[in-house]
Structure formats: C-alpha cells, structure tokens
Amino acid sequence: MAERILVTGGAGFIGSHVAEGYLAAGHDVLVLDDLSSGRRENVPAGAGWVGADVRDAAAVEAAFRSFRPTVVNHHAAQKSVTASVREPVLDADVNVLGLLNLLQASVAHGVRRFVFASTGGALYGSGAPVPVAEDFPPAPDAPYGLSKLAGEQYLGLYGRLHGLESVILRYANVYGPRQDPYGEAGVVAIFCGAVLRGKSCVIFGDGRQTRDYVHVADAVASNLLALEGPPGAYNIGTGVETSVNRLVEELRRVHGGPVAVEHAAPRPGEVRRVALDVTLARERLGWAPRIPVAEGLAQTYAWFREHLGRERAGERAGEPAVAPAASVPATAVAAAAGPAYATATRPGDRPDRPAPPGGGARRVRKAVVPAAGMGTRFLPATKAQPKEMLPLVDTPVIQLVVEEALAAGVEGVLLVTGRNKRAIEDHFDRAPELEYLLAQKGDLAALEAVRRLPGDGVIHYVRQREPRGLGHAVLAGRHYVGEEPFCVLLADEVFEGPAMGAVLEAYDRVGATVLGVKRVPPEETSRYGMVAVEGEGPLYRVTDLVEKPEPGTAPSDLAIVGRYALAAEIFGALERTPPGRGGEIQLTDGLRLLLAEGHPIYGLELPHRRFDVGERLGFVVATLARALERPDLRDGLARWLETEGRRLLEQS
Ligand code: G1P
C-alpha cells in the first residue's frame, strides 16, 4: 500500500537517500527540513518540502494537518557527538523536544508508524562488547547518545500510552554519496574529500580504532523494511570492524596513487572499537547489509571524484561552488517516479465486481492456487526450481495466475506449496535493495515490474507435506478459507482473457459451485475431469462428473479446466472422498459426492483461448503467443517466424 511519509531531515545525507528510496517504492513523501545542515538540492524532485525546524510546534502541526502522513520517518537531528558535549542543551532541544513535537502531532493525526533514526555507535558506550547486540544495556558516553536514548524511551512510552508503533534504527557509521566531506564526522567522506583535494588524511591516534561502516543504500533498505516489519529497535550495521588504517589502505587502492596521512592526538572519549551485531534485523526485518566496505568505498570515492571535480571546476571559473548535492540521475529518477507511480494501479487493487444480486450468494474473496506438484514434465529445468516459476517470456506462470485471480476481484490468494518451492515465496517478497539499486540506475521499467507484484496481506502460503492429489491440495486451504465460498486456479493453465472473472460472475448469478469447462477432442478426455450436463449453454447444469475417463467413455466433450468457484461444503466432501484415480484424492470425485448429496453444480463454457502450460508443447506455444502480443517483441519474432522459422520447418 502506498504510504504518505513525512521524512524529517530529508534534505540531509541519510534522509535524502531515504526520501528517494520511499519515492522509488511508490510512496508519497514530504520532506520537513530547516536546512540547518541539509541542502535544498538534496530534496528529491518527487517530494514536497517544508522549510521548518522540528522544534517549531506550530509549523510541525501545520505540516501534519495538510499532508496527513501515515508514517513519520524522523532523521532530523543534532547529529554531532562533539557538538553535543559542547552544547548539551542545544542537543537535547533538537533531539528530545523536537522529537516530542513530532510525537504529539503523530498521535493527534493518527500516524500509523514512526521510524526513528537512532545511533548504534554512540548508544551502548565504551563498555560494550564487540559486536554488540540490542539487548546490551545502553550507557552513552556523550549527550548525543543520551538524547537518542531518551528519544527511544519516549517512543516506547508513546507506544504504551497511545499505541503508536515505532521502529528504531540504530545506525552504525553510515557512509556514501552526498555525505558532507567538510564535516567533522563521516570519515569516509572526509578522507575522500581530502584525497581528491590533494590534502592529507588526518588520523587521530594510531588508526587502529575500528568502526562499523554501513553503506547508505543498505541503510535505506532498512527504512523500507521498517514500514512493515515488527516494531522494535534494530542495529543497522555490518557486524564487521574496519580500522581507520584499513580505510586509508582501501582508499589508496581505489585512488590508484599515494595518499598522504598525518597523525594527530587521539580524540578524548573516542570509543576504541565498534561493531554492531545485526542478527535481530536479519531475523525480524529480513534485512541484511549487501555492500561490502571495499565496494562501497570505491563507489563513494567515484561519486566524490565526479562531484568535487565539478565543484572545483566551478570555483576555478569564478562561479559559485556546486555543492556535492543530489546527483542529477538520482533526482531525475525521483522526478520521473513521482507521477508515474502515483497513478499506477497494482494487480492487488480490487476491481469493482458488483455484489451478487439479491444479496443471496456470498462474494468470493479468496483464491487457492495449488502449486506443490513436482513438474516432472519439465525436467531437468525443474530439478532445482518450481515449475510454477517457469516464465512465459519474462513473467513466471504463477504470477500470471495470481494476477488473474486478483483481477477477478479476490482479495487474497493462498498458494499451496511444498518442498523445493521457496523461489515462489521469494518472488512475491519485497526486494528493497534491488528496488533501490534500480531506482539509482534509473531503470524505471524494471523497477515497476518488481514493485507492482502483490505481496504482504495478499499472498499467503501453506505447505503440503506430501502431494496426494488435487483434492488433497485444495483441502490444505481449508483453514485459510474458512466457511466461505472460494475459487481455485490451477497454475498449469493460462487463459487469454479473464477466465476466472467469468466463472466468478457466473457464481455471483447462481450462488452455487461453478466449474470452468471447455470442449476437447475425444482422444483427450483421459487428461481431464469430464462433465455430463443439461440445459442451455454457456452456463450448464452439471449432472455428473468423471475424472479422466478413457476415450469413448466420457459423458460429453466438456472438460473441466482449471478455474473453479467452490462452495465451502467441498471441504467436508473432500474429507469423505476416498483416493481415486492414481491413488490420489481427486477434486472431481469430491465434487461428484457434493452433487450426489444434492448440491447444485454448474459448468460455464469459457470462450477464452487456453494454454496448457503444464505440457511442453503448450508451454512453447503459450510463450510464442505471448511474445507476439508484446509490442517490443512482436515484429522481430514475426520476421523470424516468417523467414528462419519457415526455413527450419521446411528442412525438418
Ligand atoms: C486436474 C483435474 C482435472 C482437470 C484438470 C484441468 O488434472 O484433476 O479434473 O480437468 O486438472 O487441467 P491434472 O491436470 O492435475 O492431472
């Protein structure tokens, strides 16, 4: 679901990347930032901006009233440890009272979730183990760590008092493009700046002190996951200690030349070693750092080389300095992303299928998609991947089927999976790092293809421990479905057009079980459940059903194809159904039992073209048919079929 996210500090280093990440993921963003250390150019073009201090309660209240955020992401802060020692009152003013303004407004305006940028480096104190986990009692060494700790405590209190959910991100040393190379913290940026300006890197002490450096893209990913993951405080680092000396070595490597170093007296109160244990974020948020320091440093150095270079060129020409601000591509991405995403419909958006007339039948809200089969017909392709993930051109069959169900108006889809099917779950999961990288690259088409997949709250899973037939797989959906009508889509079949939608419309009319049926040639009856019918088509009354009768013994030429709208009574019937053909519990047999017990069943003859993608030939044909529908492939493929294709055909 698209959120409305107020990002405080969204003109600063981390905050502006977070704002971009949220925009790229399709959310609406308003940046609130007084530009005391951020830059207006950092605010991504797709976001709104309010120039206000978080301590200004009236301005904060006005921003909440007009923007109505669902989520607040709080990155605005007094962020300097040394400044906090010098000016503890200012530090508490910004970091505690500023936060309180936001918390009050969040409660007043019904904000759903509060994401808070805290510190992992300055919170635990010098007595902490390395790496340190979240449950170590914090004992900050400076007012900055204490004001962040107070913030965390206030969030806990607001949760208990007002039910405000919060996710606290305890950052290690975040580094990356756009960090201030002139600041007093942010050693990666400072060293990159120094090397590029031909100055020496100043190391305080022996340089063997360590920090945990986490790339800003990884930090952004944690902010994306924080929108949904379980509330709590999470370390966001790498768990890896990197010494200052090691940083310099890496810089020499990427700079490809000498790097001058100067040593200065160690800074008092500086912690010797820091690394954060990130197990909790890994387990609960599904987050993991992806960018190793060496790679992130090389990338950051390249960014500074480009941007500081421009700045110096500007200085030489007597023009005002170009700040190392938002890179052009990043801003352009955000600008393009804003409107495009705001209007895009997702497959999960419900079309308006009218309520059943007369209010008799209950609407079908849930779908069950059996996906536990072994896929032996596609070996060796299906040895290590589920057959449902085989793509027609570039879209896995399971995705097409899920999209068909959602387009038919169902709200949730249960996938019945089994061993060796994890790729399906990964497919429908979020991929924040991938999304962020695609946004950074400006590949909006790929980004949209990844982002529009339905997921949380829509796709559900249950595992079938052993495949014992289609009826058995449908039974596995009993707990999810409960006592309501539901539909079943078989992932071996795809249709040109809304087959499931047509079956559900028929269900809405008759308020009883409806099976999608199609005519098949006599020699194919042994591949299908076949029905005997009476009445006028296309919606027939079913009078009998037989699973896979031998040719010549079928009651008609109407075969059940894989789209069913079922009354909940089918579950009871399936439990009473003995194993049938192939020793498996057959759905067709369960339906037959229902019919015998007096439940009406209808067969809707579907007009849509159908592809049996569970067969190799059907799969290849479906691939070609889909490719011919695609404007990007149509002409090239048609030309090939008419020339090379024809030649191959004649030769064979
Ligand atoms: C299943 C059903 C069968 C139905 C068919 C449609 O068979 O058992 O009644 O006609 O799907 O594809 P399967 O193809 O799983 O053997």
Side-chain angles (χ1 to χ4, degrees):
M1 201 189 73
E3 304 276 8
R4 303 173 60 77
I5 309 178
L6 180 77
V7 180
T8 71
F13 160 50
I14 305 175
S16 64
H17 282 280
V18 168
E20 269 175 16
Y22 282 154
L23 283 171
H27 303 295
D28 285 342
V29 174
L30 176 69
V31 165
L32 188 142
D33 194 310
D34 66 353
L35 305 185
S36 54
S37 67
R39 290 166 178 272
R40 178 69 183 87
E41 315 85 279
N42 282 356
V43 176
W49 169 64
V50 172
D53 185 330
V54 287
R55 290 171 293 178
D56 182 347
V60 165
E61 166 62 24
F64 274 74
R65 208 172 32 240
S66 65
F67 184 62
R68 290 174 291 106
T70 53
V71 171
V72 173
N73 180 295
H74 184 35
H75 271 78
Q78 188 302 108
K79 63 176 190 290
S80 159
V81 175
T82 38
S84 79
V85 176
R86 228 171 27 236
E87 294 184 78
V89 176
L90 172 78
D91 179 77
D93 198 16
V94 177
N95 291 357
V96 181
L97 298 183
L99 169 69
L100 274 170
N101 278 334
L102 293 166
L103 288 179
Q104 285 295 91
S106 296
V107 169
H109 293 273
V111 163
R112 173 178 85 74
R113 181 168 279 219
F114 201 101
V115 181
F116 179 56
S118 184
T119 170
L123 193 82
Y124 299 107
S126 36
V130 180
V132 59
E134 290 85 348
D135 55 5
F136 184 81
D141 296 325
Y144 168 73
L146 188 59
S147 63
K148 285 291 182 186
L149 178 60
E152 292 196 7
Q153 296 280 330
Y154 268 111
L155 283 169
L157 181 64
Y158 270 66
R160 297 190 295 278
L161 268 182
H162 304 290
L164 180 66
E165 269 183 19
S166 59
V167 171
I168 293 160
L169 302 171
R170 293 180 178 168
Y171 292 138
N173 289 54
V174 182
Y175 71 99
R178 258 183 253 164
Q179 194 166 22
D180 182 3
Y182 307 104
E184 58 161 336
V187 68
V188 171
I190 295 169
F191 280 10
C192 284
V195 169
L196 286 161
R197 286 194 303 267
K199 306 246 161 67
S200 45
C201 299
V202 180
I203 297 177
F204 298 99
D206 60 7
R208 285 163 57 196
Q209 65 270 41
T210 64
R211 293 290 177 270
D212 183 341
Y213 296 99
V214 61
H215 191 275
V216 68
D218 283 327
V220 168
S222 72
N223 280 271
L224 283 161
L225 291 165
L227 295 178
E228 291 307 338
Y234 301 99
N235 283 344
I236 299 299
T238 63
V240 177
E241 285 177 86
T242 304
S243 70
V244 176
N245 291 338
R246 172 80 204 289
L247 268 190
V248 172
E249 254 170 61
E250 285 295 338
L251 250 184
R252 281 202 180 102
R253 193 174 57 79
V254 297
H255 180 57
V259 166
V261 165
E262 257 176 65
H263 283 266
R267 287 202 280 198
E270 217 183 30
V271 185
R272 189 74 183 154
R273 293 173 59 197
V274 179
L276 303 183
D277 180 338
V278 294
T279 312
L280 200 65
R282 212 183 276 272
E283 286 176 0
R284 302 237 178 111
L285 290 182
W287 175 86
R290 293 287 150 97
I291 305 177
V293 168
E295 185 187 322
L297 187 72
Q299 187 245 40
T300 304
Y301 171 84
W303 187 91
F304 276 110
R305 189 179 51 207
E306 195 188 323
H307 289 81
L308 287 181
R310 264 200 242 152
E311 179 180 2
R312 285 195 297 159
E315 276 168 11
R316 267 200 303 277
E319 296 160 10
V322 179
S327 65
V328 176
T331 329
V333 167
Y341 293 142
T343 55
T345 44
R346 298 165 182 229
D349 292 349
R350 270 184 64 195
D352 282 330
R353 187 157 55 85
R362 290 175 66 184
R363 280 185 62 124
V364 170
R365 304 186 306 134
K366 297 176 178 175
V368 172
V369 178
M374 303 262 287
T376 45
R377 288 187 192 123
F378 287 92
L379 283 170
T382 48
K383 179 163 176 271
Q385 69 174 330
K387 65 172 175 170
E388 294 80 8
M389 284 300 294
L390 295 179
L392 297 186
V393 186
D394 50 15
T395 308
V397 169
I398 188 80
Q399 181 182 334
L400 294 172
V401 171
V402 164
E403 287 175 355
E404 184 188 336
L406 295 173
V410 305
E411 294 162 14
V413 180
L414 177 76
L415 302 181
V416 183
T417 66
R419 284 189 294 283
N420 200 16
K421 301 284 183 177
R422 290 237 316 263
I424 296 178
E425 294 177 25
D426 289 341
H427 184 70
F428 289 107
D429 202 349
R430 290 293 306 273
E433 302 85 356
L434 174 65
E435 289 174 25
Y436 182 69
L437 291 175
L438 290 171
Q440 290 281 309
K441 270 172 62 186
D443 192 345
L444 294 184
L447 178 63
E448 177 59 6
V450 171
R451 204 191 58 79
R452 64 191 276 272
L453 282 167
D456 293 352
V458 176
I459 312 283
H460 309 266
Y461 301 91
V462 64
R463 273 173 80 125
Q464 200 188 4
R465 290 163 64 100
E466 37 181 352
R468 287 174 47 206
L470 179 57
H472 188 248
V474 170
L475 254 184
R478 183 173 206 167
H479 181 68
Y480 168 71
V481 169
E483 293 301 311
E484 50 182 295
F486 65 107
C487 59
V488 169
L489 299 92
L490 304 189
D492 279 353
E493 289 162 84
V494 295
F495 290 82
E496 245 176 37
M500 193 69 253
V503 171
L504 289 187
E505 268 168 31
Y507 168 86
D508 288 344
R509 279 206 304 282
V510 297
T513 293
V514 180
L515 316 175
V517 296
K518 275 186 93 66
R519 296 189 190 274
V520 293
E523 66 278 11
E524 287 185 12
T525 61
S526 61
R527 285 172 44 192
Y528 298 98
M530 302 297 296
V531 292
V533 297
E534 62 181 26
E536 289 284 300
L539 188 59
Y540 299 95
R541 191 73 192 241
V542 171
T543 56
D544 199 8
L545 311 91
V546 195
E547 179 69 4
K548 303 197 174 108
E550 292 309 319
T553 66
S556 78
D557 63 347
L558 286 171
I560 305 172
V561 290
R563 299 296 180 264
Y564 307 75
L566 300 172
E569 285 79 12
I570 190 66
F571 292 124
L574 284 169
E575 284 199 323
R576 285 178 270 119
T577 301
R581 239 191 116 90
E584 298 185 329
I585 296 174
Q586 298 294 348
L587 179 57
T588 308
D589 294 344
L591 287 164
R592 189 160 200 252
L593 198 61
L594 265 193
L595 189 69
E597 290 172 357
H599 290 273
I601 298 183
Y602 293 83
L604 176 72
E605 189 174 351
L606 293 169
H608 317 91
R609 214 156 100 218
R610 165 181 174 271
F611 298 100
D612 182 353
V613 295
E615 294 283 344
R616 281 171 295 228
L617 180 60
F619 184 85
V620 172
V621 170
T623 305
L624 286 176
R626 269 187 81 81
L628 284 172
E629 279 168 14
R630 295 254 305 236
D632 56 331
L633 301 174
R634 212 209 104 80
D635 291 351
L637 178 59
R639 248 194 326 275
W640 185 89
L641 286 171
E642 281 160 6
T643 54
E644 290 291 310
R646 190 182 300 277
R647 212 172 9 255
L648 281 174
L649 201 56
E650 282 160 7
Q651 279 168 13
S652 61

